[in-house]
Amino acid sequence: MQLAVNAQIPAALAGAQGQTVYVDTEGSFMAERCADIAEGAVRHVTAMAAKQASLGRPELLDSLRSGLLAFDVRSLLGGIYCFRIHDHTEQLALTNMLPRFLQQNPQVRLLIFDSITFHFRQDFPDMAARTRTLTHMAQQLMAAAQEYGVAVVLMNQVTTKVLEGGGAKLVPALGESWGHAATTRVMLHWGASDNERHAALFKSPHLPPGDVAFAVTAEGIRGLPRS
């Protein structure tokens, strides 16, 4: 939900100033919580616009005050197209119609699946068929990203894999092959020593592995100072 709001940050603040398609497969999207995050974003953007105005660049603040640039809770929630998906058949159908939807809505800059895995962890006795279906879906999403210039964010679940010798590690729920389908992989986890939430960058085409702590606040996701 934070990403869905952030995708609408004005271009004057290096934002995408676009809209979001949010595919909710688990029924976890809460409009009330998204409104809280949107309120936090409005306060942040207004503060940044005021800072720019104090430096002699009043354009963004003037646009916000005049209504020329709509950046309030109502407009932010209106910039999120939410699709509730109940099974894997609906998910595949939505993936098939996405190109037409993106063509009709060129302001969309972000596509989120929360989560991509939920309906594929059950009711699939044929693992080979599941792998083929997921591979085809990944190819469709990559093609849509390239053709329509949208970022695609896929939330994945994890499972515990028991290793030889008695150890264990967390792996992507749909297997390592699916984990490698994404260009960038970030693992969200609790810190082992500081009891804080962490985002660890595991894979990126141009950035080294890294880790950053963050907090979930009333206004949304916020970074924490480095120790």
Side-chain angles (χ1 to χ4, degrees):
M1 287 184 284
Q2 184 71 68
L3 290 175
V5 170
N6 283 5
Q8 303 177 63
I9 290 176
L13 293 176
Q17 197 169 327
Q19 298 176 335
T20 300
V21 171
Y22 194 109
V23 183
D24 179 14
T25 67
E26 302 184 26
S28 57
F29 183 89
M30 296 186 296
E32 297 84 357
R33 177 60 177 143
C34 197
D36 291 341
I37 295 172
E39 288 177 1
V42 170
R43 283 191 285 270
H44 177 72
V45 167
T46 302
M48 292 300 99
K51 184 176 181 179
Q52 283 192 355
S54 69
L55 297 174
R57 300 191 299 271
E59 296 84 3
L60 177 58
L61 187 59
D62 291 343
S63 296
L64 291 173
R65 288 176 173 174
S66 67
L68 183 63
L69 176 61
F71 196 86
D72 52 31
V73 173
R74 184 182 182 87
S75 64
L76 290 175
L77 295 181
I80 302 173
Y81 300 99
C82 187
F83 293 87
R84 177 69 173 100
I85 300 301
H86 298 87
D87 54 40
H88 74 274
T89 302
E90 288 186 4
Q91 187 166 328
L92 294 174
L94 175 65
T95 304
N96 288 331
M97 62 81 68
L98 274 175
R100 183 173 62 180
F101 185 88
L102 294 175
Q103 187 177 26
Q104 295 172 347
N105 297 274
Q107 293 301 312
V108 172
R109 291 292 176 265
L110 175 63
L111 170 61
I112 299 172
F113 275 79
D114 183 21
S115 67
I116 193 71
T117 56
F118 185 71
H119 294 303
F120 290 89
R121 298 185 68 184
Q122 52 192 351
D123 300 330
F124 257 92
D126 188 343
M127 292 296 100
R130 187 184 78 166
T131 299
R132 290 193 300 270
T133 300
L134 286 170
T135 299
H136 180 62
M137 185 170 60
Q139 292 172 344
Q140 288 178 296
L141 294 175
M142 285 188 283
Q146 294 173 356
E147 182 172 355
Y148 298 100
V150 299
V152 179
V153 175
L154 309 177
M155 298 300 295
N156 193 0
Q157 296 160 335
V158 294
T159 187
T160 301
K161 179 180 180 180
V162 179
L163 305 175
E164 294 184 8
K169 69 173 183 177
L170 293 177
V171 297
L174 296 181
E176 289 291 343
S177 59
W178 176 257
H180 290 299
T183 304
T184 302
R185 287 178 61 192
V186 177
M187 176 79 77
L188 306 180
H189 65 96
W190 284 98
S193 58
D194 56 15
N195 197 35
E196 294 176 341
R197 299 174 188 267
H198 284 251
L201 180 64
F202 275 85
K203 175 188 175 185
S204 171
H206 56 84
L207 293 174
D211 185 281
V212 64
F214 68 93
V216 179
T217 73
E219 292 191 340
I221 306 300
R222 295 295 183 266
L224 295 177
R226 293 183 180 272
S227 56

